[in-house]
Amino acid sequence: MILSTKNKLVLLVAGSLILLAVGVGLFSMYSVKRTMLEEQRRSSVNTVALATFNVMDRYQILFRSKADQAVALQHNLSWLAKLITTLVHDPSERFKIMQNFPLPEGISLMAIDPSGEIKLVRGDLEKDDNPYLLRDIKDRPVGPTMRALAEKGLPATCFVQWDAGGKKQRLYGTHLYLPGEGGLLVGLWANIDKLDEHQQRLKEDSIRELQNEFGKQRIGPSGFLFVTDSKGTPVIGPEGMNTTLSGINPKTGNTLIADIRNASKTPENPVEASIQSLIKRAPSRDALLFVRHVKPFDWYVTGVVYTDEASAPGKQLSFLLIAAILAATLFILPVALLMVTRLTSPLAKLGDYARKLPEQDFMEDARPTPLLAALADGKHGGEIASLANSLMFMDKTLRSRVRELMEATSSRERLEGELSAATEIQMGFLPKPLPPDVAAGRFSLAASLVPAREVGGDLYDFFMLDDRHLCFIIGDVSDKGVPASLFMSMTLTLIRSRAGSHPSPEHLMAEVNENLARDNAKCMFVTLFIGVLDLDTGELLYANGGHNPPLRLGDDGVAWLKGISGPVVGAMEGMNYTLLRTVVRPGETLFLYTDGVNEAMNAEGDVYSNEAMFRALASSPSREPASVLRHMLDDVSVHVNGNTASDDMTILCVRYFGGKR
């Protein structure tokens, strides 16, 4: 069923009010929930931090107790050793004194002679328990090391651990040396495990006290605290907690203890979890866990906040707002219906007019429309009048724009045709390949010109002056586009027309310069290289007018063909150019180029550079001109990576084979 505009507007008003009610309600619920969660987050972070400080305080108490016990043990053993040394005056009485000497509980005495034989043992140690055959935690042999230290009067202490009868023992010993016949090494040993048993009892007492304290604390209405170790075994928590937290957390897919460990790295950012993964037979509720790590115990103190307790106030407020807005909608709809009725009639007429617009011929002049004129008088409301006037303006403007578009399209097509013809004409100036019998066995040649626009200013040429001399040229005009292409055409025409009468490169370049510089209103110029190669001897006569120096590829690598004959060509009359010469060895290849090659840029603005061009030539798999040209263009293309060229790019390669025809 197709609804009328009136019904659509009424539905739009009603729908907008309903969406407004729902939107306000949802926003209120979200805003209140977010505020409550933020408050509970801060409260939870502070509560967990205080609980962590409480646990750390307990640890510090245990640590100080253990340290005090260790210091006391060390002091007692040292005091006993001094007492035995004081009592033993007569070496013959030493065994009797040590046998009757009262030993404190947990202390053992052991005496060995220089051969390592046990002469006396008292206390918890047995004669078979011989720590002097072991190595201490510093990897020192106990017997020899303690005897050497004690004989010198130095502190002789050590810590050893070993299995005795299937039971691990850890002992701390202090030693003294009794001189006389068969000097004795006397060790006073204390079992460290008894200290740990005492510390374990203190730890259990602390856990019971913390259990009592944490059980009284609440986070929000019913949140709570618990402590677990690194393996997921609860240490402190409410009744009914699971015996292990290594199960899967359905909210993350990880094990719950793994989520707790990760959350401890960011104490202010909680991890979401289901309460059923914490407490047996708990109702299905979601919670946020705030975690801090207690490194000394490797415990994780965790605060639990129920998310539904934070969202409840927001839901209640949103329901009230939605109900109030829906009630107001029932009173607003009749008024909206009346207003819509006044709007729809003229809108329908304007709609009919708009549907008929495509049927009109916009190439004709605009004509007055009675319908639009009647609606534009303002009797149907300012908005309708504004819309009618807009449609009349659109009709007039559209006719004008269509005519302008047709004229612009015609001009663009004409310009594109002219540029296409200019491109064909410019490329027609470039030389055609020489006949195969001319170059056979004496040289090979390859060239390429890629303009940055439809037409460009780079140029190259090659032709035979006579049966023995090959002339080749490359140049780069200072401008771009159509002016550069015209200047390039003039340059090539002058070179070809004057080459017969001026076969020497420096004279030919001077003659071209005079003709180009005369009446050069735009002060354009061209960088130019002209070379004449003697195909019998390999002698190369050349002139370089401000152009990039060519390179030569031979058996000894890549090298620059240096030398400048004079300034750029065409800028000023009366310039003289110096003749340069070199000898091209058989098999060598000359590489000529314009700055569009070594200055080609990628999207980041990095230029290709002379160094990269040098490396590419050195790595070329062949010195054949076609292969060198293709290898260089491929390497430049990789560097540019699709970036639009900003300058023409031209390459000319000539390889000399040597020998007469």
Side-chain angles (χ1 to χ4, degrees):
M1 180 179 66
I2 301 177
L3 297 176
S4 65
T5 304
K6 179 176 70 175
N7 293 333
K8 290 179 180 179
L9 289 174
V10 172
L11 290 176
L12 176 63
V13 173
S16 299
L17 291 172
I18 292 173
L19 288 176
L20 176 63
V22 174
V24 170
L26 292 177
F27 176 76
S28 300
M29 181 174 62
Y30 170 76
S31 179
V32 173
K33 178 180 178 181
R34 185 177 60 180
T35 303
M36 293 292 294
L37 283 175
E38 181 63 22
E39 290 298 324
Q40 288 205 2
R41 186 192 68 80
R42 284 196 292 265
S43 175
S44 302
V45 169
N46 294 335
T47 301
V48 173
L50 290 173
T52 304
F53 292 151
N54 195 354
V55 174
M56 287 297 298
D57 185 59
R58 300 285 178 173
Y59 167 76
Q60 290 175 1
I61 293 173
L62 292 175
F63 180 79
R64 286 195 297 269
S65 174
K66 187 172 183 178
D68 292 343
Q69 282 188 302
V71 172
L73 175 63
Q74 193 175 26
H75 177 75
N76 291 338
L77 290 179
S78 178
W79 181 80
L80 288 174
K82 291 180 180 178
L83 183 59
I84 293 174
T85 303
T86 304
L87 295 175
V88 178
H89 298 291
D90 186 357
S92 62
E93 296 290 328
R94 54 190 177 183
F95 283 107
K96 180 179 178 181
I97 292 173
M98 287 188 293
Q99 186 67 46
N100 298 321
F101 184 80
L103 289 175
E105 183 180 358
I107 304 299
S108 298
L109 183 146
M110 184 173 287
I112 61 173
D113 62 12
S115 67
E117 181 182 354
I118 299 176
K119 295 297 184 179
L120 176 66
V121 61
R122 290 182 58 198
D124 296 335
L125 291 178
E126 302 293 338
K127 196 166 187 179
D128 293 337
D129 301 333
N130 189 353
Y132 296 103
L133 302 178
L134 306 175
R135 303 181 77 86
D136 65 3
I137 60 172
K138 297 181 181 179
D139 200 31
R140 302 177 299 180
V142 175
T145 302
M146 294 302 105
R147 177 175 290 277
L149 292 173
E151 286 180 354
K152 296 177 182 179
L154 299 174
T157 59
C158 63
F159 182 87
V160 296
Q161 57 183 13
W162 85 99
D163 290 335
K167 181 180 179 182
K168 287 187 177 180
Q169 289 196 43
R170 296 181 300 162
L171 301 177
Y172 174 78
T174 296
H175 297 80
L176 62 136
Y177 177 72
L178 296 180
E181 182 180 354
L184 291 178
L185 177 66
V186 180
L188 295 168
W189 297 90
N191 192 334
I192 303 300
D193 293 329
K194 293 187 179 296
L195 294 180
D196 290 344
E197 292 174 2
H198 176 71
Q199 287 295 311
Q200 184 62 30
R201 288 193 297 271
L202 292 178
K203 183 177 180 180
E204 292 172 356
D205 293 341
S206 296
I207 291 175
R208 282 192 293 271
E209 293 175 3
L210 291 172
Q211 176 72 48
N212 185 44
E213 293 177 9
F214 286 5
K216 298 176 182 178
Q217 294 184 0
R218 286 290 176 266
I219 304 177
S222 57
F224 58 90
L225 290 167
F226 72 89
V227 179
T228 180
D229 62 16
S230 60
K231 297 179 180 178
T233 303
V235 179
I236 298 170
E239 293 183 2
M241 280 195 70
N242 294 327
T243 55
T244 179
L245 305 183
S246 58
I248 298 299
N249 179 7
K251 295 297 180 180
T252 63
N254 305 320
T255 60
L256 183 58
I257 185 60
D259 285 339
I260 289 175
R261 285 196 291 262
N262 289 333
S264 69
K265 299 174 183 176
T266 54
E268 295 186 357
N269 297 324
V271 62
E272 191 174 0
S274 172
I275 200 65
Q276 292 177 327
S277 59
L278 286 171
I279 300 177
K280 301 175 184 177
R281 295 182 294 278
S284 179
R285 297 177 71 185
D286 294 336
L288 298 177
L289 308 184
F290 294 84
V291 187
R292 283 184 180 269
H293 186 210
V294 182
K295 290 184 179 179
F297 288 146
D298 202 11
W299 288 355
Y300 295 89
V301 180
T302 306
V304 179
V305 179
Y306 291 105
T307 55
D308 55 3
E309 293 177 355
S311 61
K315 290 181 179 178
Q316 294 175 358
L317 178 60
S318 65
F319 290 150
L320 290 174
L321 290 173
I322 290 173
I325 296 177
L326 290 178
T329 303
L330 298 176
F331 295 96
I332 295 174
L333 282 179
V335 178
L337 182 61
L338 179 62
M339 295 179 64
V340 167
T341 302
R342 288 178 55 84
L343 288 172
T344 53
S345 178
L347 285 176
K349 296 177 182 179
L350 292 174
D352 291 337
Y353 172 80
R355 281 191 292 272
K356 294 178 181 179
L357 275 177
E359 302 174 4
Q360 300 186 29
D361 184 2
F362 288 99
M363 294 300 294
E364 297 180 355
D365 293 333
R367 293 174 296 176
T369 305
L371 172 63
L372 295 181
L375 294 176
D377 60 6
K379 294 180 180 179
H380 297 277
E383 292 81 4
I384 298 298
S386 177
L387 181 58
N389 285 317
S390 297
L391 285 174
M392 287 192 294
F393 177 76
M394 181 186 72
D395 182 273
K396 180 180 179 181
T397 305
L398 190 58
R399 293 175 188 276
S400 175
R401 294 293 183 268
V402 167
R403 286 194 293 270
E404 292 175 1
L405 179 61
M406 295 294 291
E407 294 172 0
T409 301
S410 177
S411 298
R412 185 175 63 253
E413 290 176 350
R414 185 169 59 255
L415 178 60
E416 289 176 352
E418 292 173 355
L419 285 175
S420 177
T423 301
E424 294 179 2
I425 293 172
Q426 182 186 18
M427 291 305 169
F429 273 94
L430 298 178
K432 302 297 186 293
L434 295 172
D437 60 326
V438 173
R442 298 195 292 173
F443 69 93
S444 61
L445 185 148
S448 171
L449 189 155
V450 182
R453 302 179 185 176
E454 287 82 358
V455 290
D458 279 12
L459 61 96
Y460 71 86
D461 201 356
F462 51 83
F463 49 85
M464 297 297 296
L465 292 174
D466 52 39
D467 186 60
R468 178 176 172 178
H469 294 90
L470 170 67
C471 180
F472 50 92
I473 301 100
I474 191 168
D476 185 0
V477 178
S478 59
D479 204 350
K480 304 282 190 303
V482 173
S485 70
L486 294 175
F487 204 79
M488 165 261 197
S489 302
M490 291 173 56
T491 303
L492 284 178
T493 302
L494 286 169
I495 290 174
R496 291 173 182 174
S497 64
R498 301 295 195 274
S501 58
H502 298 83
S504 182
E506 81 280 12
H507 294 150
L508 177 58
M509 186 170 290
E511 177 68 15
V512 172
N513 177 73
E514 290 299 313
N515 284 272
L516 290 177
R518 188 181 305 120
D519 298 326
N520 186 0
K522 292 191 65 175
C523 295
M524 296 178 66
F525 60 86
V526 58
T527 64
L528 195 62
F529 181 95
I530 302 175
V532 176
L533 177 62
D534 188 328
L535 299 178
D536 287 348
T537 65
E539 183 182 34
L540 174 66
L541 305 180
Y542 64 95
N544 189 337
H547 195 74
N548 304 81
L551 294 105
R552 56 196 301 170
L553 289 73
D555 294 334
D556 53 353
V558 182
W560 297 105
L561 186 60
K562 298 181 179 180
I564 294 293
S565 302
V568 294
V569 178
M572 185 181 298
E573 295 180 82
M575 294 291 104
N576 295 320
Y577 294 88
T578 304
L579 176 66
L580 303 172
R581 66 181 69 219
T582 187
V583 175
V584 182
R585 294 188 293 271
E588 281 192 332
T589 298
L590 298 178
F591 179 84
L592 294 82
Y593 60 96
T594 61
D595 57 8
V597 177
N598 59 326
E599 294 179 4
M601 289 191 296
N602 58 20
E604 289 74 29
D606 301 325
V607 298
Y608 183 63
S609 77
N610 289 337
E611 292 75 10
M613 184 173 64
F614 207 94
R615 289 194 299 270
L617 290 174
S619 63
S620 177
S622 169
R623 273 181 274 166
E624 267 303 306
S627 176
V628 172
L629 188 148
R630 185 167 51 254
H631 181 73
M632 178 59 67
L633 289 178
D634 290 344
D635 200 61
V636 173
S637 178
V638 171
H639 171 78
V640 172
N641 194 24
N643 189 39
T644 303
S646 60
D647 197 2
D648 305 336
M649 185 164 58
T650 303
I651 297 175
L652 174 64
C653 294
V654 180
R655 187 179 187 188
Y656 174 62
F657 294 122
K660 300 181 179 179
R661 179 186 290 272

